[in-house]
Amino acid sequence: MGVHAALAVHPDSGRGAAARIAGTVADRLRAAVDRLDLLVATSVAESQALMARSHEDGLDVLVVLGGDGAAHQGVQFCAGSGTALALVPSGTGNDLARALGVDRDPLRAVDEVVAALADGRRRRIDLGRLGDTWFSTVLCAGFDAAVNERANRMRWPAGPRRYDLAILGELAAFRPRHLVVDTGARREEFEATLVAIGNTAWYGGGVPICPEARPDDGVFDVTVVGRASRRELLRMLPSLRTGRHVRYPGVHTMRAVSVELSGSEWPVYADGEALGQLPITARSVPGALTVVG
């Protein structure tokens, strides 16, 4: 039996970049599969309906052409199922693609997918689980979630620079709050600025907030930034892009399979998507997702 694949296209990803290359990506994929469904969606509900229809027809591989928001929807569909996920990044952040070692150029990335499909290369990675929602990269609360919220409202600039400007915009208003981190084996209380639970290292378009996190080791890496003044945060910002922030005295790290966060009503984001507010409990689910490559 041949490979039945679907290409999920989110036209607005990368300020229209996905729509501009969708035809070329589809043509290259058709050379490697027996059937290719083209799923073009402008809303989450529409995307879910199209994916479900392909799944009923025996879908083997879902190829997502888009950014982290599109990848997040693909993860919800493929997690715990027999459908493998492949990524062709064309968004502004592309943090899951970065963690999986996918080429940042979408046309080179689709060629990698084609080669992997021809060779039958697939692997399993871990996911985080929050209630009924899966996340593949980083769950965050506090200052970084507020930055994410602000960045999502911004229309300019594109890419990581948007996140940097959102950080500066949040500095004036944000204050540290009480945070409780409970891993079952360890319970810590902080006056904290932010907390990040990493299934992978990166968020915010390439910020390695949990620099040692790996998507196939069965555990989360947790980073907590304690009480920090605006001046201290500004001093720390350059180190965020290198992962050296974990060397600061006020930064705490730990590893855990399950993490409960409470203490303040901070907003919560995961994979760049709003997922309510604290308190929450997230758990790592080993091997929950099959990826191509």
Side-chain angles (χ1 to χ4, degrees):
M1 181 182 291
V3 175
H4 174 195
L7 174 62
V9 181
H10 292 253
D12 294 336
S13 294
R15 308 182 108 184
R20 290 191 292 272
I21 63 172
T24 301
V25 170
D27 287 343
R28 296 188 185 186
L29 287 172
R30 285 191 183 99
V33 302
D34 294 271
R35 172 178 167 180
L36 182 69
D37 300 338
L38 187 59
L39 315 179
V40 181
T42 56
S43 70
V44 171
E46 185 181 6
S47 178
Q48 290 172 339
L50 290 171
M51 289 179 194
R53 196 172 307 151
S54 284
H55 186 264
E56 290 170 1
D57 292 338
L59 185 64
D60 300 305
V61 177
L62 176 68
V63 183
V64 172
L65 173 59
D68 284 319
H72 179 76
Q73 292 306 317
V75 166
Q76 307 314 302
F77 178 78
C78 294
S81 77
T83 303
L85 179 69
L87 299 178
V88 179
S90 63
T92 55
N94 304 316
D95 286 312
L96 178 57
R98 180 180 283 104
L100 297 180
V102 177
D103 199 297
R104 297 185 191 182
D105 179 270
L107 296 183
R108 287 198 294 267
V110 72
D111 287 342
E112 290 176 349
V113 172
V114 167
L117 288 172
D119 295 340
R121 282 187 277 117
R122 301 188 184 188
R123 57 189 165 122
R124 299 191 73 85
I125 67 167
D126 310 333
L127 293 175
R129 185 80 161 161
L130 179 62
D132 294 330
T133 302
W134 300 94
F135 65 94
S136 57
T137 57
V138 176
L139 179 149
C140 61
F143 179 75
D144 44 0
V147 167
N148 211 321
E149 206 161 55
R150 178 180 288 264
N152 285 349
R153 295 195 300 265
M154 296 168 65
R155 291 292 169 261
W156 181 91
R161 183 77 178 129
R162 177 186 301 176
Y163 191 81
D164 292 339
L165 290 181
I167 287 174
L168 295 176
E170 284 299 319
L171 277 173
F174 194 83
R175 298 291 182 274
R177 295 185 187 177
H178 184 235
L179 174 71
V180 180
V181 181
D182 192 337
T183 67
R186 178 178 172 186
R187 186 178 189 275
E188 299 274 1
E189 298 192 34
F190 305 92
E191 284 299 305
T193 302
L194 65 86
V195 57
I197 300 174
N199 182 57
T200 61
W202 293 278
Y203 70 177
V207 177
I209 188 67
C210 300
E212 299 301 318
R214 300 292 179 268
D216 56 3
D217 59 3
V219 295
F220 292 131
D221 281 41
V222 182
T223 300
V224 179
V225 177
R227 174 179 287 277
S229 67
R230 285 192 288 274
R231 179 175 295 179
E232 288 168 331
L233 281 174
L234 281 169
R235 194 180 306 131
M236 191 185 298
L237 287 181
S239 68
L240 283 173
R241 289 284 174 189
T242 64
R244 294 179 181 173
H245 59 283
V246 296
R247 302 178 184 177
Y248 278 72
V251 177
H252 312 269
T253 61
M254 58 190 83
R255 307 187 84 211
V257 172
S258 178
V259 183
E260 179 182 344
L261 303 177
S262 61
S264 297
E265 294 183 351
W266 272 344
V268 174
Y269 274 69
D271 293 348
E273 303 293 313
L275 295 180
Q277 63 183 39
L278 299 187
I280 59 94
T281 299
R283 62 185 178 90
S284 176
V285 183
L289 180 68
T290 300
V291 295
V292 173

